Amino acid sequence: MKKFNSTNLFTFNLILVFLTLLVANNSFAQARWQADVSVTSVTITAGAFKKVSRGTNNINKPQEKVVQAVDDNLKCTITIHNENDDDAWGTMMVVVLPVEVAVVNMPSNAKLDPSVTATQTFAGNIIFTIGHMAVGQDVTVEFTFTKSKYGNKVGAYAYSDSPDPNPANNYKDASY
């Protein structure tokens, strides 16, 4: 039987300390905090038909109104998704609207850009406050806006306060 001398004992203790530190380091290690918020779909569909009053093109009688059935509203539905392994905190979405449209209907967590007033009714964007999203959660928002005569393309960009490993999937757009 071999006896331990001071060199062997020192080496044994050094290996024991090294293994203890290695195990302790792995047990306290954490993966990086990250949530992958992505815009998974943007769809635009025709709104319901309604009768609206429109001014005539007669400059001599601008007060005359013609009532006609028109389909002048579009409904936009946007879905965002949180993937990866952490919750997304402080999730927001900015939606860029077509040229010269007015927002007809939107949810309570949405806010029009500050340039919209009683005299300037056209909106350039809507900001949605989504808030906390759990891992694997989908959130869908809907809003209605008037048709633009210049094209009806809507773009949506979602982000959160959580680090995002794949920001390339944070944007999507669609046209009607």
Short mmCIF file of all heavy atoms in Angstrom, two decimals, residues 3 20 123 148:
data_model
loop_
_atom_site.label_atom_id
_atom_site.label_comp_id
_atom_site.label_asym_id
_atom_site.label_seq_id
_atom_site.Cartn_x
_atom_site.Cartn_y
_atom_site.Cartn_z
N LYS A 3 1.77 5.12 0.54
CA LYS A 3 1.46 6.17 1.50
C LYS A 3 1.38 7.50 0.75
O LYS A 3 2.08 7.72 -0.23
CB LYS A 3 2.51 6.26 2.57
CG LYS A 3 2.51 5.10 3.49
CD LYS A 3 3.49 5.35 4.59
CE LYS A 3 3.48 4.22 5.57
NZ LYS A 3 4.38 4.41 6.65
N THR A 20 -14.61 20.60 -7.66
CA THR A 20 -15.68 21.28 -6.92
C THR A 20 -16.05 22.59 -7.62
O THR A 20 -17.23 22.90 -7.80
CB THR A 20 -15.24 21.56 -5.47
OG1 THR A 20 -14.89 20.32 -4.85
CG2 THR A 20 -16.35 22.24 -4.68
N ALA A 123 -53.64 59.14 -40.80
CA ALA A 123 -52.67 58.57 -39.86
C ALA A 123 -51.51 57.95 -40.63
O ALA A 123 -51.71 57.36 -41.68
CB ALA A 123 -53.35 57.52 -38.99
N SER A 148 -56.96 53.54 -49.42
CA SER A 148 -56.16 54.59 -50.03
C SER A 148 -56.23 54.45 -51.55
O SER A 148 -56.22 53.33 -52.07
CB SER A 148 -54.70 54.48 -49.59
OG SER A 148 -53.90 55.39 -50.32
#
